[in-house]
Amino acid sequence: MFGYRVPAPDQAMLISGGRRGHGGAPFRVVTGHGKFVLPVFRKVRFLTLAMCEAEVAEKCVSRQGITLTVRAVIAFKVGNDTESIVNAGQRFLSDQDQMAVLTGRIFAGHLRSIIGSMTVEELITERQKLATEVLDTSKAEMAKIGLIVDSLQIQSIDDGDTGYIDAMSAPHKAAIQRQAQIAQAQASQAASEAQQEAARNQAEYARQTAVVQAQYNAEVDRAQAQAAQAGPLAEAHAQQEVLSARTELAQRAADLRQQQLVAEIVKPAEAEAERIRVVALAEAERMKIQAEAAASHGRVALDRMLIDQLPQIVKEAASGLSGANVNVLNGADGLGEIAAGLVGQGLTILDAVRRNMGAPGAADESKPKPKPKPRGGADDGAVEVR
């Protein structure tokens, strides 16, 4: 709309002309909303509310008289309240870059005064204390010109060629270097131990790998050998089974043949031998019976013949006594005894003939029979032959 102006979020719109602003300011302050401004009769200017930066590089002297070059960075801006905007607008509206220049100069003065009251050691070790004191001392002065400081950073403190800071830091540097060397040695030792451990682990892993590889190769070789032998072994087993079957078949055939031979030859031969033995036994028995019959018949015939000849034998024996001088001592009894003796002599001759002829039963009859004992002596009528 014609004559309607709106400031940016980081700007303050200053309207001059017409009635006066806050606290008798020659302009009115508008932030965060628009405002209708009559052209020609009103004039509008904008003041930045954005963050600004100022750098400070100032030579300062410490409490020990050591010259130091201090570099700092200040972050500042115009305050958001109307009073700060009015104060800053009245001072920097025509040349807003002067805010950084003026802020740098203000802080340089405060840095010189505060560093002059501190030692180098305090400055080095207590930088935050330095920044806080500078901010506190400059706050009121900055508020007068409508500025507020958000932060102050001490970037560096340098003593130039004096070497004080280096000398001050030498023990620390030496300690740090010593610690660094120790740490480096420890790190080197740890690295060496780690390398040795890694080498041992690698060697152990290589050994285990070699063992596993060897075992795997052995298993592969064994499997290949078993696979290579499987065919011949199977064939050998098959041949062995065939041989076993053939052997068993041959054994059965031999047993069958043996049984056939036994049935065809041995049994008939045994039967024939038994038959011959039985026949021979029967024949021998028959011959024995015949021999015994013949022997018995011959003995009977011989006995008969001897008996038939016995009277003649006795007669011949008696005739032998015809020329002998016989004295009969006992009369009739003595003559009987002579006759009995002649008969006994005939029987003795008969037995001798039987033994000489080998007649069966002769052994039993060859035993001399007891001769009849002559009865009595001279008193009993003995016979004396002369």
Side-chain angles (χ1 to χ4, degrees):
M1 173 183 269
F2 180 73
Y4 191 80
R5 308 294 296 273
V6 179
D10 58 348
Q11 289 180 338
M13 185 171 62
L14 306 181
I15 304 173
S16 60
R19 60 196 184 113
R20 302 178 69 86
H22 175 74
F27 49 81
R28 289 179 294 169
V29 178
V30 178
T31 58
H33 60 87
K35 189 75 175 177
F36 183 76
V37 179
L38 291 174
V40 180
F41 298 100
R42 303 287 188 270
K43 187 174 182 180
V44 177
R45 303 284 297 275
F46 293 95
L47 179 67
T48 182
L49 302 178
M51 179 67 64
C52 298
E53 179 181 300
E55 293 184 359
V56 177
E58 189 69 20
K59 286 187 176 183
C60 308
V61 179
S62 68
R63 190 174 61 185
Q64 298 130 321
I66 305 299
T67 303
L68 303 173
T69 301
V70 180
R71 289 181 175 80
V73 176
I74 306 101
F76 68 94
K77 64 182 291 297
V78 178
N80 293 328
D81 58 293
T82 302
E83 183 179 359
S84 296
I85 294 173
V86 170
N87 291 335
Q90 288 178 341
R91 291 170 176 80
F92 306 111
L93 186 59
S94 59
D95 188 2
Q96 298 184 27
D97 293 336
Q98 287 296 319
M99 289 188 294
V101 176
L102 182 59
T103 300
R105 290 175 180 175
I106 292 172
F107 273 89
H110 289 291
L111 279 173
R112 284 194 300 270
S113 65
I114 293 173
I115 289 174
S117 64
M118 299 176 66
T119 63
V120 178
E121 288 79 3
E122 291 175 346
L123 292 174
I124 297 300
T125 58
E126 299 179 5
R127 290 191 180 188
Q128 186 61 38
K129 177 182 177 181
L130 172 63
T132 301
E133 289 185 3
V134 172
L135 286 175
D136 291 340
T137 56
S138 64
K139 183 180 296 183
E141 190 173 354
M142 293 291 289
K144 290 180 181 180
I145 60 177
L147 302 177
I148 57 175
V149 179
D150 288 339
S151 67
L152 171 64
Q153 294 293 331
I154 305 298
Q155 289 184 328
S156 64
I157 299 175
D158 186 11
D159 61 350
D161 297 333
T162 58
Y164 184 88
I165 297 177
D166 292 338
M168 183 181 64
S169 63
H172 301 286
K173 287 182 178 180
I176 292 173
Q177 289 178 355
R178 183 172 60 255
Q179 293 177 358
Q181 291 175 356
I182 294 172
Q184 182 65 34
Q186 292 176 350
S188 299
Q189 182 179 0
S192 178
E193 292 177 355
Q195 290 177 355
Q196 294 176 0
E197 183 66 21
R200 285 194 296 268
N201 293 334
Q202 290 179 355
E204 180 65 20
Y205 179 77
R207 186 187 67 81
Q208 294 179 357
T209 302
V211 170
V212 172
Q213 185 66 34
Q215 293 176 352
Y216 174 77
N217 293 334
E219 291 179 359
V220 170
D221 294 340
R222 184 166 55 253
Q224 290 178 352
Q226 291 177 355
Q229 294 175 357
L233 286 176
E235 184 177 357
H237 286 309
Q239 291 179 357
Q240 184 176 1
E241 291 178 358
V242 171
L243 290 176
S244 298
R246 288 181 178 177
T247 303
E248 184 177 359
L249 182 60
Q251 184 65 33
R252 291 181 180 178
D255 294 341
L256 180 60
R257 181 58 181 166
Q258 182 178 3
Q259 294 175 2
Q260 290 177 353
L261 291 175
V262 169
E264 293 176 358
I265 298 175
V266 177
K267 293 298 182 182
E270 290 179 353
E272 181 65 21
E274 184 65 22
R275 186 188 66 79
I276 293 171
R277 188 181 65 81
V278 171
V279 171
L281 289 175
E283 183 66 21
E285 187 66 23
R286 184 184 63 81
M287 292 176 66
K288 179 181 179 182
I289 294 171
Q290 289 178 356
E292 289 178 354
S296 177
H297 184 271
R299 185 173 63 251
V300 172
L302 180 59
D303 290 343
R304 187 173 296 277
M305 181 183 70
L306 291 175
I307 291 170
D308 290 343
Q309 297 295 326
L310 182 61
Q312 182 66 29
I313 295 170
V314 173
K315 183 179 179 181
E316 293 294 333
S319 65
L321 294 175
S322 61
N325 186 12
V326 179
N327 295 319
V328 179
L329 299 179
N330 55 355
D333 294 332
L335 291 174
E337 290 178 359
I338 293 171
L342 293 173
V343 173
Q345 290 180 0
L347 293 175
T348 302
I349 295 170
L350 178 61
D351 290 336
V353 172
R354 285 178 179 176
R355 286 195 300 272
N356 292 329
M357 292 180 66
D364 296 334
E365 297 177 358
S366 63
K367 294 181 180 179
K369 295 182 180 180
K371 296 181 180 181
K373 186 177 181 182
R375 289 181 294 179
D379 297 334
D380 294 335
V383 180
E384 180 181 359
V385 180
R386 294 178 182 174

